[in-house]
Amino acid sequence: MGSGLSISLLALSVAGVASAAETTATTPGAPTAPAAAQSKNLIVLIGDGMGPAEVTAARYYSKKFLNKDRLELDGGYYVGKATTYSQAGPYTSESGAVTDSAAAGTAFSTGNKTYNNAISVSNGDVAKPFASVVEAAMKQGKATGLVTTDSIVGATPAVWASHVRQRSNQNAIASQYLTSGVNVLFGGGKVNFVTKDDKGKRTDKNIIPDFEAKGYKTAYDKNGLDAIPATAGNALGLFALNEIPYVLDRDASTPSLPQLTQKALDLLSQNKNGFVLMVEQGRIDHAGHANDLPSNIQEMLELDATFKTLVDFAKKDGNTSVVVTADHETGGLSLGINNVYELNVDLFNKQKHSYEYLDAILKTAQTADDVRKIVADNIGFTDLSDEEIALILKGDGSSYGRAGGYNAVVSKRLAVGWTGHGHTGVDVGVWAYGPIASLVKGDVDNTDIAKSGAKVIGADLAAATKELQDKYLYPLFKVTRDNKTLFTAKSLAEALDIKVTWDEATKSVVLAKDSQKLTVLVETGAVTENGAASTIAANVDNGKLYLPLEAFNKLTGKSFTWDSVNERIVKN
């Protein structure tokens, strides 16, 4: 059990001062208490990656090619802007100034800040779940729905109806949807509804029949979507293995976001108690990551058309609030480059397919003439320079390879720039219709979207959160070589109101609650229970003491269980 550390240093780390993650973790304030409802229905529309420049580019396109002076968003609905920062987290050295979709989504769905990668759980070594407006609305008897062009288990939809420490645990998100009570789930991500075992290998287990057994009507294409009756109650639509194809790459078998949204409205509006619906245009973000402006614009225009669908419904219904925002901007888009006061809008409509469609084709190119033909066929450029061809063949140095090189060539010709392939920390716009508009006006934070959404429908976020926190904990853990799951003793003990002390005389960590006491001799890992030898195995790793869940059950007298799929403790 030797750790390579002196006993005094080990004692400090194990039983004295909290770890860095524990001391820097913050406990966000409880969401606001419920108020008198002002709307029966709430709709939240998210443009993933939609910063100010993305909106402007779509407006230029609309004016030039659609003969429209403005976007649907521009029709008097703009109310302000939102900050998007997250928190420093336990897994990286990031400050939180630039958020990811998981942390931002947690903020605008639950009203709480957290770290990047977290899906509606708090920060710290032992995370606690936060309830979303969707989960709180279910307590009111409202119908709920999640619609996206991304995978349905992607971060933005996931934060509304699941809870995991890491957004990459998408099979857990899919399994949590099954018991979530959400009525409508439309998006891509079919691959995650066929689960994997603990070693990551594909298994024969398919959870789609489990949804069907619960009364979900299923659909996998436009015809299937159309066949779902408005009275179905529950529906699961999985329209791609991963993400739904870009607008530029779809065929008639793939439903559009306005079509998915209209079907969700038809289904959810049957509930006399009202509904909460989240709709995400998720591929604005993906096009931003890839630096593909023509694709980005088409996704933006689809969001704009979806907004019209939603506002038309809300105006006719008369009892619906709609709010639109983004989780963050993606790509650092600039409209204009190299000190030239120009933007080549005339070229914005030339591209036939996205970089994603083109990627496999570009990989087959052997010669400069191959590249010339591929580019000419897709965007009409017939005068590529030797330098541009070399860039495409070599790739842009990122994971996008030749497709990245192609996007760099196109961007330069369009006179647009990008700061990179990641997110940026700029504020994002907020648009709204109905009673919620006055609540999100001006300079707000993304957490205000959730708080205002709950307030406008009279939902109790605090009560829904307490109910979840009474059932689950999401601790840091490690799995040993013999496949045993162990937990950081100090942080989990404190979360369970177990007192932890250091006994200098015996070089032992003492954990006590009521009449129960466990003592761990750190030099050997030997454990005693109330003074008698125990079979519980302790582990010291890098100055931290780890114990199995059995130890905490003995101390508390409870029968906590470990849910390995969802990586959480179930407090039975």
Side-chain angles (χ1 to χ4, degrees):
M1 287 297 297
S3 66
L5 299 175
S6 68
I7 289 297
S8 59
L9 181 57
L10 177 65
L12 181 66
S13 177
V14 174
V17 186
S19 69
E22 292 169 308
T23 56
T24 58
T26 58
T27 303
T32 54
Q38 301 171 51
S39 291
K40 185 171 74 170
N41 308 316
L42 171 67
I43 300 169
V44 181
L45 174 61
I46 301 298
D48 197 321
M50 181 181 68
E54 284 78 5
V55 177
T56 304
R59 187 182 299 112
Y60 276 126
Y61 185 102
S62 185
K63 287 182 178 181
K64 179 70 177 179
F65 302 109
L66 304 180
N67 296 316
K68 295 173 62 176
D69 288 338
R70 63 186 186 183
L71 299 172
E72 297 294 337
L73 288 169
D74 296 331
Y77 304 106
Y78 184 78
V79 294
K81 62 183 179 66
T83 50
T84 64
Y85 63 90
S86 60
Q87 293 178 337
Y91 300 105
T92 69
S93 59
E94 297 167 353
S95 68
V98 179
T99 190
D100 78 337
S101 294
T106 297
F108 59 61
S109 67
T110 76
N112 293 282
K113 295 287 188 181
T114 191
Y115 59 93
N116 289 354
N117 287 311
I119 299 292
S120 292
V121 297
S122 66
N123 209 336
D125 282 5
V126 181
K128 297 180 180 180
F130 294 132
S132 72
V133 178
V134 159
E135 291 167 318
M138 291 181 199
K139 308 299 180 185
Q140 300 174 288
K142 294 185 185 295
T144 58
L146 305 174
V147 176
T148 182
T149 54
D150 193 0
S151 167
I152 192 64
V153 295
T156 302
V159 295
W160 299 86
S162 67
H163 308 269
V164 290
R165 286 195 70 108
Q166 293 276 14
R167 60 185 289 180
S168 59
N169 193 357
Q170 292 186 326
N171 289 331
I173 293 166
S175 69
Q176 287 185 42
Y177 282 159
L178 181 62
T179 57
S180 68
V182 174
N183 303 101
V184 175
L185 296 160
F186 289 161
K190 186 178 179 181
V191 67
N192 292 105
F193 289 73
V194 178
T195 61
K196 296 177 181 178
D197 64 20
D198 290 340
K199 296 180 180 179
K201 294 181 179 178
R202 185 65 58 188
T203 69
D204 293 330
K205 184 178 179 183
N206 183 338
I207 64 173
I208 293 174
D210 297 334
F211 280 88
E212 293 173 333
K214 285 197 166 191
Y216 284 79
K217 299 296 183 182
T218 52
Y220 307 103
D221 55 22
K222 175 66 164 54
N223 289 338
L225 179 74
D226 291 342
I228 298 174
T231 55
N234 296 331
L236 172 67
L238 300 170
F239 303 100
L241 282 177
N242 295 295
E243 303 86 3
I244 290 176
Y246 285 110
V247 170
L248 287 174
D249 303 334
R250 293 180 198 158
D251 57 30
S253 68
T254 302
S256 68
L257 187 59
Q259 290 166 343
L260 293 172
T261 298
Q262 186 59 60
K263 178 63 74 171
L265 290 171
D266 294 343
L267 289 158
L268 299 176
S269 59
Q270 304 294 316
N271 189 313
K272 62 181 176 60
N273 296 319
F275 65 84
V276 173
L277 171 64
M278 190 289 303
V279 180
E280 179 200 22
Q281 213 313 339
R283 307 227 63 191
I284 301 168
D285 173 69
H286 299 166
H289 279 295
N291 299 168
D292 181 349
L293 183 65
S295 295
N296 190 293
I297 288 172
Q298 295 305 314
E299 304 304 305
M300 271 295 316
L301 292 172
E302 184 173 66
L303 175 135
D304 200 49
T306 303
F307 176 69
K308 185 178 188 303
T309 298
L310 294 171
V311 169
D312 286 350
F313 171 88
K315 288 179 176 177
K316 183 177 179 180
D317 174 72
N319 202 2
T320 298
S321 282
V322 181
V323 61
V324 186
T325 192
D327 42 7
H328 49 73
E329 192 275 343
T330 302
L333 174 62
S334 64
L335 303 180
I337 55 172
N338 299 332
N339 302 316
V340 178
Y341 290 26
E342 188 55 83
L343 189 63
N344 295 328
V345 179
D346 288 354
L347 302 178
F348 281 12
N349 73 331
K350 301 300 183 184
Q351 184 164 284
K352 295 177 182 177
H353 291 288
S354 78
Y355 74 93
E356 191 171 71
Y357 177 96
L358 212 61
D359 184 52
I361 301 172
L362 284 169
K363 286 177 180 176
T364 67
Q366 299 291 320
T367 67
D369 285 342
D370 292 339
V371 173
R372 286 191 181 96
K373 184 178 187 309
I374 292 167
V375 173
D377 288 346
N378 196 58
I379 201 167
F381 298 164
T382 59
D383 59 343
L384 290 183
S385 67
D386 291 343
E387 181 183 10
E388 288 174 323
I389 291 172
L391 175 56
I392 293 172
L393 285 172
K394 182 180 179 181
D396 70 343
S398 76
S399 61
Y400 292 97
R402 288 182 173 180
Y406 164 85
N407 286 336
V409 168
V410 172
S411 292
K412 188 173 182 179
R413 289 193 172 219
L414 270 53
V416 301
W418 306 86
T419 61
H421 292 290
H423 299 171
T424 64
V426 301
D427 294 348
V428 295
V430 180
W431 298 257
Y433 171 80
I436 198 171
S438 63
L439 302 179
V440 293
K441 184 178 180 180
D443 296 326
V444 300
D445 184 63
N446 53 8
T447 55
D448 293 315
I449 303 299
K451 294 172 184 177
S452 299
K455 183 176 181 180
V456 83
I457 61 171
D460 193 339
L461 275 174
T465 293
K466 183 180 185 304
E467 184 173 326
L468 284 172
Q469 293 186 355
D470 286 344
K471 291 177 64 176
Y472 303 114
L473 289 174
Y474 294 78
L476 284 176
F477 67 96
K478 74 171 188 174
V479 179
T480 63
R481 291 180 180 178
D482 54 353
N483 207 33
K484 292 182 179 178
T485 303
L486 303 177
F487 306 91
T488 52
K490 185 178 190 299
S491 57
L492 183 54
E494 290 176 345
L496 297 172
D497 296 322
I498 297 168
K499 185 178 180 181
V500 182
T501 57
W502 170 249
D503 187 332
E504 178 64 27
T506 61
K507 309 299 183 187
S508 300
V509 176
V510 180
L511 300 92
K513 185 173 177 62
D514 301 327
S515 61
Q516 299 300 310
K517 184 169 73 172
L518 286 181
T519 303
V520 182
L521 185 62
V522 296
E523 290 182 305
T524 65
V527 179
T528 58
E529 299 177 41
N530 300 319
S534 172
T535 57
I536 294 173
N539 178 274
V540 176
D541 186 7
N542 291 324
K544 273 193 175 183
L545 173 63
Y546 290 84
L547 288 169
L549 192 57
E550 175 191 4
F552 301 96
N553 283 339
K554 288 181 178 293
L555 286 161
T556 60
K558 305 291 185 181
S559 298
F560 301 145
T561 56
W562 176 240
D563 177 353
S564 61
V565 172
N566 295 293
E567 297 180 347
R568 65 188 178 188
I569 290 173
V570 181
K571 298 159 70 176
N572 298 321

